[in-house]
Amino acid sequence: KNNPAPRIIHRYSDRVLFLVTDFCSVYCRYCTRKHFTGNEQVFPKQEEYQKALNYIQTHPGIREVILSGGDPLTLGDEQLQRVFQDLRRIDHVEIIRVGSRMPVVCPMRMTEQLAKLFQKYKPVYLMTHFNHPRELTQTSAQALERFVDHGVPVFNQMVLLNGVNNDAAIVQALSRRLMYLRVKPYYMHQCDPSMGTDHLRTSIENSLEIQKEL
């Protein structure tokens, strides 16, 4: 019921997830889209792409489109510009969000040209995915600041992973470093049930303890 059109997930009334690629910059073991990624459907076929756009166009309650997949920033700038341009032709779409692990695993992808592309079709939010302060290398930090300097709002979402970052001191260190770089710590996700990842999942109680300590 949440997949009313190809490449569209519509769970909340005012926003949709648009899966613009099934190719990822890194295949996280805890990913809940293992059934979708890596099937060589890098960019939607024209018919699927148009059906997805038509769905967004004909549902004026949709105010926000979140580009996901896969990782949208594995697409080239020309393909991204096409998606931005097509979405900006739809009057009721106010905000575009782009979720990506590229700032972590391939920060050299975060070029000035790409930052200007986000700026051109504003407001386009960059949703990064840093899970641990060690992922915030100097190159990654420079990439994040490049986007912020171009007026692109940057938010971070992390996943609580048992034995990796489920500790208040680690969460605080990551959050403080992100804030210093003018990136807003946004989501702290529980690890969703996904086959073969039970050892990475943390309890709700653990999450609450971390929040209370912080």
Side-chain angles (χ1 to χ4, degrees):
K1 67 179 181 180
N2 296 324
N3 184 210
R7 303 295 188 111
I8 292 290
I9 297 175
H10 195 180
R11 187 172 295 166
Y12 305 104
S13 61
D14 64 341
R15 68 202 64 186
V16 296
L17 210 61
F18 187 2
L19 307 178
V20 291
T21 178
D22 79 336
F23 189 79
C24 250
S25 53
V26 56
Y27 292 95
C28 303
R29 183 164 183 182
Y30 50 85
C31 183
T32 57
R33 291 204 200 118
K34 295 177 184 180
H35 64 284
F36 175 76
T37 55
N39 289 317
E40 297 181 354
Q41 301 172 30
V42 179
F43 192 76
K45 297 173 183 176
Q46 180 57 34
E47 184 181 357
E48 287 186 342
Y49 181 75
Q50 196 56 53
K51 283 183 178 178
L53 284 179
N54 290 345
Y55 181 83
I56 298 168
Q57 175 75 60
T58 55
H59 289 76
I62 296 171
R63 302 292 185 179
E64 186 171 346
V65 176
I66 304 157
L67 302 185
S68 188
D71 190 326
L73 296 189
T74 60
L75 299 174
D77 287 358
E78 289 185 5
Q79 287 175 309
L80 275 175
Q81 179 163 2
R82 176 188 176 188
V83 177
F84 288 165
Q85 200 170 49
D86 288 340
L87 290 174
R88 282 288 168 242
R89 290 192 180 109
I90 303 174
D91 291 338
H92 56 262
V93 173
E94 297 171 349
I95 293 173
I96 299 171
R97 272 200 266 169
V98 178
S100 179
R101 282 277 272 171
M102 277 293 194
V104 181
V105 299
C106 189
M108 60 287 297
R109 170 70 180 100
M110 313 306 291
T111 62
E112 185 168 351
Q113 181 179 337
L114 183 60
K116 287 180 177 178
L117 189 61
F118 274 57
Q119 185 184 49
K120 180 179 179 181
Y121 293 96
K122 64 183 182 183
V124 181
Y125 284 63
L126 175 62
M127 309 300 296
T128 64
H129 181 172
F130 289 87
N131 288 324
H132 195 283
R134 288 182 184 173
E135 291 182 315
L136 274 166
T137 62
Q138 183 178 357
T139 313
S140 292
Q142 290 169 348
L144 294 173
E145 292 209 294
R146 182 176 299 121
F147 272 64
V148 176
D149 287 344
H150 280 80
V152 178
V154 184
F155 287 65
N156 187 68
Q157 48 195 4
M158 63 168 286
V159 177
L160 278 174
L161 299 168
N162 186 44
V164 177
N165 61 8
N166 61 322
D167 181 273
I170 293 175
V171 175
Q172 184 183 58
L174 174 62
S175 298
R176 286 194 180 279
R177 181 62 177 152
L178 288 166
M179 290 290 286
Y180 180 79
L181 297 170
R182 295 168 290 162
V183 175
K184 173 69 174 174
Y186 190 45
Y187 284 137
M188 187 166 75
H189 292 292
Q190 294 294 133
C191 193
D192 283 342
S194 187
M195 190 176 292
T197 62
D198 281 354
H199 64 292
L200 289 172
R201 296 180 66 199
T202 60
S203 66
I204 297 292
E205 290 75 21
N206 187 195
S207 173
L208 294 173
E209 285 172 10
I210 290 170
Q211 293 179 59
K212 185 177 179 180
E213 188 171 341
L214 292 175

